Coordinates of all heavy atoms in Angstrom, one line a residue:
M1 N 113.8 51.3 119.5 CA 112.4 51.6 119.1 C 112.1 53.1 119.3 O 112.4 53.7 120.3 CB 111.5 50.8 120.0 CG 110.0 50.9 119.6 SD 109.1 49.7 120.5 CE 107.7 50.6 120.9
I2 N 111.6 53.7 118.2 CA 111.3 55.1 118.2 C 109.8 55.3 118.7 O 108.9 54.7 118.1 CB 111.4 55.8 116.9 CG1 112.9 55.6 116.5 CG2 111.1 57.1 116.8 CD1 113.3 56.0 115.0
A3 N 109.6 56.2 119.7 CA 108.3 56.4 120.2 C 107.6 57.3 119.2 O 108.2 58.2 118.6 CB 108.3 57.1 121.5
N4 N 106.2 57.1 119.1 CA 105.5 58.0 118.2 C 105.3 59.4 118.9 O 104.9 59.4 120.1 CB 104.1 57.4 117.9 CG 104.2 56.2 117.0 OD1 105.2 56.1 116.3 ND2 103.2 55.4 117.0
S5 N 105.6 60.4 118.2 CA 105.4 61.7 118.7 C 103.9 62.1 118.5 O 103.3 61.7 117.5 CB 106.3 62.7 117.9 OG 106.0 64.0 118.2
P6 N 103.4 62.9 119.5 CA 102.0 63.3 119.4 C 101.7 64.2 118.2 O 100.6 64.3 117.6 CB 101.7 64.0 120.7 CG 103.0 64.3 121.3 CD 104.0 63.3 120.7
N7 N 102.7 64.9 117.8 CA 102.7 65.9 116.7 C 103.8 65.6 115.7 O 104.8 66.4 115.7 CB 102.7 67.3 117.0 CG 101.5 67.7 117.9 OD1 100.4 67.3 117.5 ND2 101.7 68.4 119.0
P8 N 103.7 64.6 114.9 CA 104.9 64.3 114.0 C 105.1 65.4 113.0 O 104.1 66.0 112.6 CB 104.5 63.0 113.3 CG 103.0 62.9 113.4 CD 102.6 63.6 114.6
P9 N 106.3 65.6 112.5 CA 106.6 66.6 111.6 C 105.8 66.3 110.2 O 105.6 65.2 109.9 CB 108.1 66.7 111.3 CG 108.6 65.4 111.9 CD 107.5 64.9 112.9
R10 N 105.3 67.4 109.6 CA 104.5 67.2 108.4 C 105.5 66.9 107.2 O 106.4 67.7 107.1 CB 103.7 68.4 108.1 CG 102.6 68.5 109.2 CD 101.7 69.7 108.9 NE 101.0 69.4 107.6 CZ 99.9 69.9 107.2 NH1 99.3 70.8 107.9 NH2 99.4 69.6 106.1
A11 N 105.3 65.9 106.5 CA 106.1 65.5 105.4 C 105.5 66.0 104.1 O 105.7 65.2 103.1 CB 106.5 64.1 105.4
D12 N 104.8 67.0 104.0 CA 104.2 67.5 102.8 C 104.6 68.9 102.4 O 105.4 69.6 103.1 CB 102.6 67.4 102.9 CG 102.1 68.3 104.0 OD1 102.9 69.1 104.6 OD2 100.9 68.2 104.2
A13 N 104.1 69.3 101.3 CA 104.6 70.6 100.8 C 104.1 71.8 101.7 O 104.9 72.7 101.9 CB 104.1 70.9 99.4
H14 N 102.9 71.5 102.4 CA 102.4 72.6 103.3 C 103.4 72.7 104.4 O 103.8 73.8 104.9 CB 101.0 72.3 103.8 CG 100.5 73.3 104.7 ND1 100.2 74.6 104.2 CD2 100.2 73.3 106.0 CE1 99.7 75.3 105.2 NE2 99.7 74.6 106.3
G15 N 103.8 71.6 105.0 CA 104.7 71.6 106.2 C 106.1 72.2 105.9 O 106.6 73.0 106.7
L16 N 106.6 72.0 104.7 CA 107.8 72.5 104.2 C 107.7 74.0 104.1 O 108.6 74.8 104.4 CB 108.3 71.8 102.9 CG 109.7 72.1 102.5 CD1 110.7 71.9 103.6 CD2 110.0 71.3 101.3
A17 N 106.5 74.4 103.5 CA 106.3 75.8 103.3 C 106.3 76.6 104.6 O 106.8 77.7 104.7 CB 105.0 76.1 102.6
E18 N 105.7 76.0 105.6 CA 105.6 76.7 107.0 C 107.1 76.8 107.5 O 107.4 77.8 108.1 CB 104.8 75.8 107.9 CG 103.3 75.9 107.6 CD 102.5 75.0 108.5 OE1 103.0 74.4 109.4 OE2 101.2 75.0 108.3
A19 N 107.8 75.7 107.4 CA 109.2 75.8 107.9 C 110.0 76.8 107.2 O 110.8 77.5 107.8 CB 109.9 74.4 107.8
L20 N 109.8 76.9 105.9 CA 110.5 77.9 105.1 C 110.2 79.3 105.4 O 111.0 80.2 105.7 CB 110.2 77.7 103.6 CG 110.8 78.7 102.6 CD1 112.3 78.8 102.7 CD2 110.4 78.4 101.1
A21 N 108.9 79.5 105.7 CA 108.5 80.9 106.1 C 109.1 81.2 107.5 O 109.4 82.4 107.6 CB 106.9 80.9 106.2
K22 N 109.1 80.4 108.4 CA 109.7 80.6 109.7 C 111.2 80.9 109.5 O 111.7 81.8 110.2 CB 109.4 79.5 110.7 CG 108.0 79.4 111.1 CD 107.8 78.2 112.0 CE 106.3 78.1 112.4 NZ 106.1 77.0 113.3
N23 N 111.8 80.1 108.7 CA 113.3 80.3 108.5 C 113.5 81.6 107.9 O 114.5 82.3 108.2 CB 113.9 79.2 107.8 CG 115.3 79.0 108.1 OD1 115.7 78.9 109.3 ND2 116.2 78.9 107.1
E24 N 112.7 82.0 106.9 CA 112.9 83.3 106.2 C 112.7 84.5 107.2 O 113.5 85.5 107.2 CB 111.9 83.5 105.1 CG 112.3 82.6 103.9 CD 111.3 82.5 102.8 OE1 110.1 82.9 103.0 OE2 111.6 82.2 101.6
E25 N 111.8 84.4 108.1 CA 111.6 85.4 109.2 C 112.8 85.4 110.1 O 113.3 86.6 110.4 CB 110.4 85.0 110.0 CG 109.1 85.3 109.3 CD 107.8 84.9 110.2 OE1 108.0 84.8 111.4 OE2 106.7 84.6 109.6
A26 N 113.3 84.4 110.4 CA 114.5 84.3 111.3 C 115.7 84.9 110.5 O 116.5 85.7 111.1 CB 114.9 82.9 111.7
T27 N 115.8 84.6 109.2 CA 117.0 85.2 108.5 C 116.8 86.6 108.4 O 117.8 87.4 108.6 CB 116.8 84.6 107.0 OG1 117.0 83.2 107.1 CG2 118.0 85.1 106.2
T28 N 115.6 87.2 108.1 CA 115.4 88.7 108.1 C 115.8 89.3 109.5 O 116.4 90.3 109.5 CB 114.0 89.0 107.7 OG1 113.7 88.4 106.5 CG2 113.7 90.4 107.7
A29 N 115.4 88.6 110.6 CA 115.7 89.2 111.9 C 117.1 89.2 112.2 O 117.8 90.2 112.7 CB 114.9 88.3 113.0
V30 N 117.9 88.1 111.8 CA 119.3 88.0 112.1 C 120.0 89.1 111.2 O 120.9 89.8 111.7 CB 119.8 86.7 111.7 CG1 121.4 86.6 111.6 CG2 119.3 85.7 112.7
Q31 N 119.6 89.4 109.9 CA 120.2 90.3 109.1 C 119.9 91.7 109.6 O 120.8 92.6 109.6 CB 119.8 90.3 107.7 CG 120.5 91.1 106.7 CD 121.9 90.9 106.7 OE1 122.4 89.7 106.3 NE2 122.8 91.9 106.9
A32 N 118.8 92.0 110.2 CA 118.4 93.3 110.7 C 119.3 93.6 111.9 O 119.9 94.7 112.1 CB 117.0 93.4 111.1
V33 N 119.6 92.6 112.8 CA 120.5 92.8 114.0 C 121.9 93.0 113.4 O 122.5 93.9 114.1 CB 120.4 91.5 114.9 CG1 121.4 91.6 116.0 CG2 119.0 91.4 115.5
A34 N 122.3 92.3 112.5 CA 123.7 92.5 111.9 C 123.9 93.9 111.4 O 124.9 94.6 111.7 CB 124.0 91.5 110.9
D35 N 122.8 94.4 110.6 CA 122.9 95.8 110.1 C 122.9 96.8 111.3 O 123.7 97.7 111.2 CB 121.7 96.1 109.2 CG 121.7 95.1 107.9 OD1 122.8 94.6 107.6 OD2 120.6 95.0 107.3
E36 N 122.1 96.6 112.2 CA 122.0 97.5 113.3 C 123.4 97.5 114.1 O 123.8 98.6 114.5 CB 120.9 97.2 114.3 CG 120.7 98.3 115.4 CD 119.4 98.0 116.2 OE1 118.6 97.3 115.8 OE2 119.3 98.6 117.2
L37 N 123.9 96.3 114.3 CA 125.2 96.3 115.0 C 126.3 96.9 114.3 O 127.2 97.6 114.8 CB 125.5 94.8 115.4 CG 126.8 94.5 116.2 CD1 126.7 95.2 117.6 CD2 126.9 93.0 116.3
G38 N 126.2 96.9 112.9 CA 127.2 97.6 112.1 C 127.1 99.1 112.2 O 128.1 99.8 112.3
V39 N 125.9 99.6 112.4 CA 125.7 101.0 112.7 C 126.3 101.4 114.0 O 127.0 102.4 114.2 CB 124.2 101.5 112.5 CG1 124.0 102.9 112.9 CG2 123.8 101.2 111.0
V40 N 125.9 100.6 115.0 CA 126.4 100.8 116.4 C 127.9 100.8 116.4 O 128.6 101.7 117.0 CB 125.8 99.9 117.3 CG1 126.5 99.9 118.7 CG2 124.3 99.9 117.5
H41 N 128.6 99.9 115.7 CA 130.0 99.8 115.6 C 130.6 101.0 115.1 O 131.6 101.5 115.5 CB 130.4 98.6 114.9 CG 131.9 98.5 114.7 ND1 132.8 98.2 115.7 CD2 132.7 98.8 113.5 CE1 134.0 98.2 115.2 NE2 134.0 98.6 113.9
A42 N 130.0 101.5 114.0 CA 130.6 102.7 113.3 C 130.5 103.9 114.3 O 131.5 104.7 114.3 CB 129.8 103.0 112.0
V43 N 129.5 104.1 115.0 CA 129.3 105.2 115.9 C 130.3 105.0 117.1 O 131.0 106.0 117.4 CB 127.9 105.3 116.4 CG1 127.8 106.4 117.5 CG2 126.9 105.7 115.2
L44 N 130.3 103.9 117.6 CA 131.2 103.6 118.8 C 132.7 103.8 118.4 O 133.4 104.3 119.2 CB 131.0 102.3 119.4 CG 129.7 102.1 120.2 CD1 129.5 100.6 120.6 CD2 129.6 103.1 121.3
T45 N 133.0 103.4 117.2 CA 134.4 103.4 116.7 C 134.8 104.9 116.8 O 136.0 105.3 117.2 CB 134.6 102.9 115.3 OG1 134.3 101.5 115.4 CG2 136.0 103.0 114.8
Q46 N 133.9 105.8 116.3 CA 134.3 107.2 116.2 C 134.4 107.9 117.5 O 135.3 108.6 117.9 CB 133.3 108.0 115.3 CG 133.4 107.6 113.9 CD 132.3 108.3 113.0 OE1 131.4 109.0 113.6 NE2 132.4 108.1 111.7
E47 N 133.4 107.5 118.4 CA 133.3 108.2 119.7 C 134.3 107.7 120.7 O 134.9 108.4 121.4 CB 131.8 108.0 120.2 CG 130.8 108.7 119.4 CD 131.0 110.2 119.2 OE1 131.4 110.9 120.2 OE2 130.9 110.7 118.1
V48 N 134.5 106.4 120.8 CA 135.4 105.8 121.7 C 136.8 106.1 121.4 O 137.6 106.5 122.2 CB 135.3 104.3 121.8 CG1 136.4 103.6 122.7 CG2 133.9 103.9 122.4
A49 N 137.2 106.2 120.1 CA 138.5 106.6 119.7 C 138.8 108.1 120.2 O 140.0 108.3 120.6 CB 138.6 106.5 118.1
K50 N 137.8 108.9 120.2 CA 138.0 110.3 120.7 C 138.3 110.3 122.1 O 139.1 111.1 122.6 CB 136.8 111.1 120.4 CG 136.6 111.5 119.0 CD 135.2 112.3 118.8 CE 134.7 112.2 117.5 NZ 133.4 113.0 117.4
I51 N 137.7 109.4 122.9 CA 137.7 109.4 124.4 C 138.8 108.7 124.9 O 139.6 109.1 125.7 CB 136.3 109.0 124.9 CG1 135.2 109.9 124.5 CG2 136.4 109.0 126.5 CD1 133.8 109.4 124.7
V52 N 138.9 107.3 124.6 CA 139.9 106.5 125.2 C 141.0 106.0 124.3 O 142.1 105.7 124.8 CB 139.1 105.2 125.8 CG1 138.2 105.7 126.9 CG2 138.4 104.4 124.8
G53 N 140.8 105.8 123.1 CA 141.8 105.3 122.2 C 142.2 103.9 122.4 O 142.1 103.1 121.3
E54 N 142.6 103.4 123.5 CA 142.9 102.0 123.8 C 142.3 101.5 125.1 O 141.7 102.3 125.8 CB 144.4 101.9 123.9 CG 145.2 102.1 122.6 CD 146.7 102.0 122.7 OE1 147.1 101.1 123.6 OE2 147.4 102.6 121.9
G55 N 142.4 100.2 125.3 CA 141.8 99.6 126.5 C 140.7 98.8 126.3 O 140.4 98.4 125.1
D56 N 140.0 98.5 127.3 CA 138.9 97.6 127.3 C 137.7 98.1 126.5 O 137.1 97.3 125.7 CB 138.3 97.3 128.8 CG 139.2 96.4 129.6 OD1 140.2 95.8 129.0 OD2 139.1 96.4 130.8
A57 N 137.5 99.4 126.6 CA 136.3 100.0 125.8 C 136.7 99.9 124.3 O 135.8 99.6 123.5 CB 136.1 101.4 126.2
A58 N 137.9 100.1 123.9 CA 138.4 100.0 122.6 C 138.2 98.6 122.0 O 137.8 98.3 120.9 CB 139.8 100.6 122.3
E59 N 138.7 97.7 122.9 CA 138.5 96.2 122.5 C 137.1 95.9 122.3 O 136.7 95.0 121.5 CB 139.2 95.4 123.6 CG 140.7 95.5 123.6 CD 141.4 94.7 124.7 OE1 140.9 93.8 125.1 OE2 142.6 95.1 125.0
A60 N 136.2 96.3 123.2 CA 134.8 96.1 123.1 C 134.2 96.5 121.9 O 133.4 95.9 121.2 CB 134.0 96.6 124.2
V61 N 134.6 97.7 121.4 CA 134.2 98.2 120.1 C 134.7 97.4 119.0 O 133.8 97.1 118.0 CB 134.7 99.7 120.0 CG1 134.4 100.1 118.5 CG2 134.0 100.6 120.9
E62 N 135.9 96.9 119.0 CA 136.3 96.0 118.0 C 135.6 94.7 118.0 O 135.4 94.1 116.9 CB 137.9 95.8 118.1 CG 138.7 97.0 117.7 CD 138.3 97.5 116.3 OE1 138.3 96.8 115.3 OE2 138.1 98.8 116.2
R63 N 135.3 94.2 119.1 CA 134.4 93.1 119.2 C 133.1 93.2 118.5 O 132.6 92.2 117.9 CB 134.3 92.6 120.7 CG 133.5 91.4 120.9 CD 134.4 90.2 120.6 NE 133.6 89.0 120.8 CZ 133.5 88.0 119.9 NH1 134.1 88.0 118.8 NH2 132.8 86.9 120.3
T64 N 132.5 94.4 118.6 CA 131.2 94.6 117.9 C 131.5 94.3 116.3 O 130.5 93.8 115.7 CB 130.6 95.9 118.1 OG1 131.5 96.9 117.6 CG2 130.4 96.1 119.6
A65 N 132.5 94.7 115.8 CA 132.8 94.5 114.3 C 132.8 93.0 114.1 O 132.3 92.5 113.0 CB 134.2 95.1 114.0
A66 N 133.5 92.2 114.9 CA 133.5 90.7 114.7 C 132.2 90.1 114.8 O 131.8 89.2 114.1 CB 134.6 90.2 115.7
L67 N 131.4 90.6 115.8 CA 130.0 90.1 116.0 C 129.2 90.4 114.7 O 128.4 89.5 114.3 CB 129.4 90.5 117.2 CG 130.1 90.1 118.6 CD1 129.4 90.8 119.7 CD2 129.9 88.6 118.8
E68 N 129.3 91.6 114.3 CA 128.5 92.0 113.1 C 128.9 91.1 111.9 O 128.0 90.6 111.2 CB 128.7 93.5 112.8 CG 127.9 94.0 111.6 CD 128.5 93.9 110.3 OE1 129.8 93.9 110.3 OE2 127.8 93.8 109.3
K69 N 130.1 90.9 111.7 CA 130.6 90.0 110.6 C 130.0 88.6 110.8 O 129.5 88.0 109.8 CB 132.1 90.0 110.6 CG 132.6 89.2 109.4 CD 134.2 89.1 109.4 CE 134.7 88.2 108.2 NZ 136.0 88.0 108.2
K70 N 130.1 88.1 112.0 CA 129.6 86.7 112.2 C 128.0 86.6 112.0 O 127.6 85.7 111.4 CB 129.9 86.3 113.6 CG 129.5 84.8 114.0 CD 129.9 84.5 115.3 CE 131.4 84.0 115.3 NZ 131.8 83.4 116.6
L71 N 127.3 87.7 112.4 CA 125.9 87.7 112.2 C 125.6 87.7 110.7 O 124.7 87.1 110.2 CB 125.2 88.8 112.9 CG 124.9 88.6 114.4 CD1 124.5 89.9 115.0 CD2 123.9 87.6 114.6
T72 N 126.3 88.6 110.0 CA 126.1 88.7 108.6 C 126.4 87.4 107.8 O 125.6 87.0 107.0 CB 127.0 89.8 107.9 OG1 126.7 91.1 108.5 CG2 126.8 90.0 106.5
E73 N 127.4 86.6 108.2 CA 127.8 85.4 107.6 C 126.7 84.4 107.9 O 126.3 83.6 107.0 CB 129.2 84.9 108.1 CG 130.3 85.7 107.6 CD 131.6 85.4 108.3 OE1 131.6 84.5 109.2 OE2 132.7 85.9 107.9
T74 N 126.2 84.4 109.2 CA 125.1 83.5 109.5 C 123.8 83.8 108.6 O 123.2 82.9 108.2 CB 124.7 83.7 111.0 OG1 126.0 83.3 111.7 CG2 123.6 82.8 111.5
A75 N 123.5 85.0 108.4 CA 122.3 85.5 107.7 C 122.6 84.9 106.3 O 121.6 84.4 105.6 CB 122.1 86.9 107.7
E76 N 123.7 85.0 105.7 CA 124.0 84.6 104.4 C 123.8 83.1 104.3 O 123.2 82.5 103.3 CB 125.4 84.9 104.0 CG 125.5 86.5 103.7 CD 127.0 86.9 103.5 OE1 127.9 86.0 103.6 OE2 127.3 88.1 103.3
K77 N 124.4 82.3 105.3 CA 124.1 80.8 105.3 C 122.6 80.6 105.4 O 122.1 79.6 104.8 CB 124.9 80.2 106.5 CG 126.4 80.2 106.3 CD 127.1 79.6 107.4 CE 128.6 79.8 107.3 NZ 129.3 79.3 108.5
M78 N 121.9 81.2 106.2 CA 120.4 81.0 106.4 C 119.7 81.3 105.1 O 118.8 80.6 104.6 CB 119.9 81.9 107.5 CG 120.3 81.4 108.9 SD 119.8 82.6 110.2 CE 118.0 82.1 110.3
T79 N 120.2 82.3 104.3 CA 119.6 82.6 102.9 C 119.9 81.3 102.0 O 119.0 81.0 101.3 CB 120.1 83.8 102.4 OG1 119.8 84.9 103.2 CG2 119.7 84.1 101.0
E80 N 121.0 80.8 102.1 CA 121.3 79.6 101.3 C 120.4 78.4 101.7 O 119.9 77.7 100.8 CB 122.8 79.1 101.4 CG 123.8 80.1 100.9 CD 125.2 79.8 101.1 OE1 125.5 78.7 101.7 OE2 126.1 80.6 101.0
V81 N 120.2 78.3 102.9 CA 119.3 77.2 103.5 C 117.9 77.4 102.9 O 117.1 76.6 102.4 CB 119.3 77.0 105.0 CG1 118.2 76.2 105.4 CG2 120.7 76.6 105.4
N82 N 117.5 78.7 103.1 CA 116.1 79.1 102.6 C 116.0 78.8 101.1 O 114.9 78.3 100.6 CB 115.9 80.6 102.7 CG 115.6 80.9 104.2 OD1 115.4 80.1 105.0 ND2 115.8 82.2 104.5
D83 N 117.0 79.1 100.3 CA 116.9 78.7 98.8 C 116.8 77.3 98.6 O 116.0 76.8 97.8 CB 118.3 79.2 98.1 CG 118.3 80.8 98.1 OD1 117.2 81.5 98.3 OD2 119.4 81.3 97.8
A84 N 117.6 76.5 99.4 CA 117.5 75.0 99.2 C 116.1 74.5 99.7 O 115.5 73.7 99.0 CB 118.6 74.3 100.1
L85 N 115.5 75.0 100.8 CA 114.2 74.7 101.2 C 113.2 75.1 100.2 O 112.2 74.3 99.9 CB 113.9 75.3 102.5 CG 114.5 74.8 103.7 CD1 114.2 75.7 105.0 CD2 114.0 73.3 104.0
S86 N 113.4 76.2 99.6 CA 112.4 76.6 98.6 C 112.4 75.7 97.3 O 111.3 75.3 96.8 CB 112.8 78.1 98.1 OG 111.8 78.5 97.2
D87 N 113.6 75.3 96.9 CA 113.8 74.3 95.8 C 113.0 73.0 96.2 O 112.3 72.4 95.4 CB 115.2 74.1 95.4 CG 115.9 75.3 94.8 OD1 115.2 76.2 94.4 OD2 117.1 75.3 94.8
Q88 N 113.3 72.5 97.4 CA 112.7 71.2 97.8 C 111.2 71.3 97.9 O 110.5 70.5 97.5 CB 113.2 70.9 99.2 CG 114.7 70.4 99.2 CD 114.9 69.1 98.4 OE1 114.1 68.3 98.4 NE2 115.9 69.2 97.5
H89 N 110.7 72.5 98.4 CA 109.3 72.8 98.5 C 108.6 72.7 97.1 O 107.6 72.0 96.8 CB 109.0 74.1 99.1 CG 107.6 74.5 99.1 ND1 107.0 75.5 98.4 CD2 106.5 73.9 99.8 CE1 105.7 75.6 98.7 NE2 105.4 74.7 99.5
A90 N 109.3 73.4 96.1 CA 108.8 73.3 94.8 C 108.8 71.9 94.1 O 107.8 71.5 93.5 CB 109.6 74.2 93.8
S91 N 109.8 71.2 94.4 CA 109.9 69.7 93.9 C 108.8 68.9 94.6 O 108.2 68.1 93.9 CB 111.3 69.2 94.3 OG 112.3 69.8 93.6
L92 N 108.6 69.1 95.9 CA 107.6 68.3 96.6 C 106.2 68.6 96.1 O 105.4 67.8 95.9 CB 107.8 68.5 98.1 CG 106.9 67.6 99.0 CD1 107.2 66.1 98.7 CD2 107.2 68.0 100.5
K93 N 105.9 69.9 95.8 CA 104.7 70.3 95.4 C 104.4 69.6 94.0 O 103.3 69.1 93.7 CB 104.6 71.8 95.3 CG 104.1 72.4 96.6 CD 104.0 74.0 96.4 CE 102.9 74.3 95.5 NZ 102.6 75.8 95.5
H94 N 105.5 69.7 93.2 CA 105.4 69.0 91.8 C 105.0 67.6 91.9 O 104.2 67.0 91.2 CB 106.6 69.3 91.1 CG 106.6 68.7 89.7 ND1 105.8 69.2 88.7 CD2 107.3 67.7 89.1 CE1 106.0 68.5 87.6 NE2 106.8 67.6 87.9
L95 N 105.7 66.9 92.8 CA 105.6 65.4 93.0 C 104.1 65.1 93.6 O 103.5 64.2 93.1 CB 106.6 64.8 93.9 CG 108.0 64.7 93.4 CD1 109.0 64.3 94.6 CD2 108.0 63.8 92.3
Q96 N 103.7 65.9 94.5 CA 102.4 65.7 95.0 C 101.3 65.9 94.0 O 100.2 65.2 94.0 CB 102.2 66.6 96.3 CG 102.9 66.1 97.4 CD 102.8 67.0 98.7 OE1 102.3 68.2 98.6 NE2 103.2 66.4 99.9
K97 N 101.5 66.9 93.1 CA 100.5 67.1 92.1 C 100.5 66.0 91.0 O 99.4 65.7 90.5 CB 100.8 68.5 91.3 CG 100.4 69.7 92.1 CD 100.6 71.0 91.4 CE 100.3 72.2 92.2 NZ 100.5 73.4 91.4
A98 N 101.6 65.4 90.9 CA 101.7 64.3 89.8 C 101.1 63.0 90.5 O 100.7 62.2 89.6 CB 103.2 64.0 89.6
Q99 N 100.8 62.9 91.7 CA 100.3 61.7 92.3 C 98.8 61.7 92.0 O 97.9 62.1 92.1 CB 100.6 61.5 93.8 CG 102.0 61.4 94.0 CD 102.3 61.3 95.6 OE1 101.5 61.6 96.4 NE2 103.6 60.9 95.8

């Protein structure tokens, strides 16, 4: 038996629009962090190479590249989800208007 939630999720176009807006904000934030991390990686790559060349610091710099790539891929997937949510929102609005 499923207990009734005090605030059930909204199953209408407005609720979906709110979810889409929040997800779009999160997507923008993730992409901004990925972009910033890419800049940090570029600077660190140049500076650390001059100083240490190899070792833990150099490995940490390389790790920033992997993290930036992962964040960028995540933002791309979030954009795909946003597109799907947007399509669903448009379909739901159309269905609700037809009722």
